[in-house]
């Protein structure tokens, strides 16, 4: 099947991936691989924008992230995996594009404003230009589409603006990338807040079946229900949100909901059932993950080859962009006509 366009997307390697990443993004990426030419970026430079004082985990987290991607079905035979810090073109393009964007424009990006409030620190230049580095990630491969969550939409909007501005000033070159929003509901954490790496309320793809069961047994359910015989609520009850997503037996879930609402089944039984459903769902992933995690050198090699392959495209973009912006780049220097190549004159 011929592929209909090019996709670039990625994650910051902040730690192992959880089941919210799986159903929210990774399964979507996995399916997109057959339709699009896909580039998946491990955005490790982006981690430094907030964690530069605690950067000792980035390499380990990079590997964990890639193990989880591969476990979820990201396939290096179909797609290209890129390590951002190993391809200098990302930083180079970010610098060139920074000429086209005002400081005020970056200060208005909502994710930046939120981060500054949360961190309560004096923001660094790196944090301010975070979205611009992301723009460079996307435009470097002239991606047509970027699958992202809603929180990332302002960054895609910036990418479109920068592409337009570049094209106006220097001639058509970049496609305006479209955001591809995935429509999977956000998975709540086991405490019913948003599932988040830093909240300790997640279930990781790397968790064992026992860890998974233990976390499920701690799950928040219906706080208004004190006894098994009390009628329970299924809406907004994360145990049922999970069952809706992970249990292939829809009729079974429906029957269980009816018993729960009627006060004819206890929380413990429902959680035991969910733990089994989740463990079945995750079993093939865990098997794949174990195969990769026990061979880190092969995975590193996969990442190296992907990054090298990506750099052929990245370098082509850099040469074109430099030329169009009036710089020489590598081209003019490589184009010294035969016969005029450095003689002995400078020796
Ligand atoms: N900012 C993205 C996130 O936090 C990660 C990212 C970096 C990204 N570069 C990208 C996503 C390019 C899509 C395209 O999730």
């Amino acid at each position: 099947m011929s592929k209909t366009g090019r996709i670039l997307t990625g994650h910051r390697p902040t730690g192992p991936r959880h089941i919210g990443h799986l159903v929210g993004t990774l399964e979507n990426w996995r399916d997109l691989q057959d339709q699009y030419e896909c580039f998946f970026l491990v955005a490790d430079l982006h981690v430094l924008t907030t964690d530069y004082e605690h950067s000792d985990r980035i390499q380990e987290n990079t590997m964990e992230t890639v193990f989880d991607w591969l476990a979820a079905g990201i396939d290096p035979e179909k797609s290209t995996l890129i390590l951002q810090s190993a391809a200098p073109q990302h930083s180079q393009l970010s610098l060139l594009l920074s000429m086209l964007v005002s400081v005020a424009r970056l200060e208005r990006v909502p994710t930046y404003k939120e981060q500054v409030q949360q961190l309560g620190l004096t923001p660094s230049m790196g944090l301010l230009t975070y979205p611009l580095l992301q723009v460079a990630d996307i435009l470097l491969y002239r991606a047509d589409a970027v699958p992202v969550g809603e929180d990332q939409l302002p960054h895609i909007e910036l990418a479109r603006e920068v592409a337009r501005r570049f094209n106006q000033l220097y001639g058509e070159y970049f496609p305006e990338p479209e955001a591809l929003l995935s429509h999977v509901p956000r998975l709540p954490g086991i405490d019913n807040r948003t599932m988040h790496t830093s909240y300790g309320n997640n279930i990781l793809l790397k968790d064992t079946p026992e860890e998974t069961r233990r976390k499920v047994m701690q799950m928040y359910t219906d706080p208004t229900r004190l006894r098994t015989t009390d009628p329970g609520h299924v809406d907004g009850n994360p145990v049922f949100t999970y069952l809706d997503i992970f249990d292939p037996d829809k009729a079974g879930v429906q029957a269980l909901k009816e018993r729960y609402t009627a006060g004819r089944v206890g929380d413990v039984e429902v959680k035991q059932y969910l733990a089994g459903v989740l463990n079945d769902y995750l079993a093939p992933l865990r098997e794949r993950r174990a195969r990769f995690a026990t061979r880190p050198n092969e995975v590193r090699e996969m990442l190296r080859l992907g990054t090298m392959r990506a750099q052929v495209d990245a370098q082509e973009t850099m040469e074109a962009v430099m030329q169009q912006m009036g710089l020489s780049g590598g081209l003019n220097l490589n184009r010294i006509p035969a016969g005029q190549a450095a003689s002995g004159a400078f020796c």
Side-chain angles (χ1 to χ4, degrees), residues 8-12 41 43 46 130 134 137-138 146 148 152:
L8 180 130
T9 188
H11 276 165
R12 280 170 302 145
L41 178 76
H46 275 114
Y130 179 119
Q134 184 167 348
D137 297 337
I138 298 164
V146 189
V148 283
Q152 298 290 308

Side-chain angles (χ1 to χ4, degrees), residues 240-299:
F240 286 96
T241 310
Y242 280 33
L243 284 175
D244 280 336
I245 294 177
F246 293 104
D247 193 350
D249 177 10
K250 300 299 165 211
V253 174
Q254 194 48 42
L256 195 61
K257 283 183 180 174
E258 281 161 20
R259 286 172 63 207
Y260 194 84
T261 316
R264 282 191 285 110
V265 61
D267 277 3
V268 172
E269 186 182 333
V270 176
K271 287 180 183 177
Q272 292 281 11
Y273 176 72
L274 172 60
V277 165
L278 257 186
N279 280 330
D280 286 348
Y281 193 95
L282 294 172
L285 262 96
R286 289 186 179 128
E287 213 175 288
R288 269 197 302 275
R289 195 183 197 281
R291 277 209 302 278
F292 293 113
T294 48
R295 297 196 193 81
N297 286 336
E298 282 171 37
V299 172

Side-chain angles (χ1 to χ4, degrees), residues 215-227:
K215 288 182 179 178
V216 169
M217 295 317 289
Q218 292 170 6
M219 262 173 94
Y220 173 103
T221 52
D222 175 359
T224 65
R225 194 176 191 228
L226 304 176
R227 280 173 300 269

Side-chain angles (χ1 to χ4, degrees), residues 105 135 138 152-164 176-179:
R105 175 67 182 85
V135 169
I138 298 164
Q152 298 290 308
L153 287 179
H155 299 169
I156 311 306
E157 191 45 46
L158 183 66
R160 296 170 62 83
E161 270 176 51
V162 172
R164 266 198 304 272
E176 272 180 51
E178 307 266 356

Side-chain angles (χ1 to χ4, degrees), residues 30 33 40 69-70 72-81 302:
R30 177 199 64 201
Q33 293 180 107
F40 297 114
W69 287 5
L70 297 170
I74 301 302
D75 182 351
E77 304 267 315
K78 292 182 185 166
S79 306
T80 305
L81 273 66
M302 217 178 261

Side-chain angles (χ1 to χ4, degrees), residues 53-90:
E53 290 173 307
H54 313 280
S55 57
D56 49 313
R57 300 288 293 261
I58 300 177
Q59 292 182 17
E60 183 189 325
N61 286 340
T62 293
M63 293 304 287
E64 295 284 348
T65 299
V66 174
F67 294 153
D68 287 332
W69 287 5
L70 297 170
I74 301 302
D75 182 351
E77 304 267 315
K78 292 182 185 166
S79 306
T80 305
L81 273 66
I82 312 166
L83 180 59
Q84 193 184 32
S85 66
Q89 293 86 353
H90 290 258

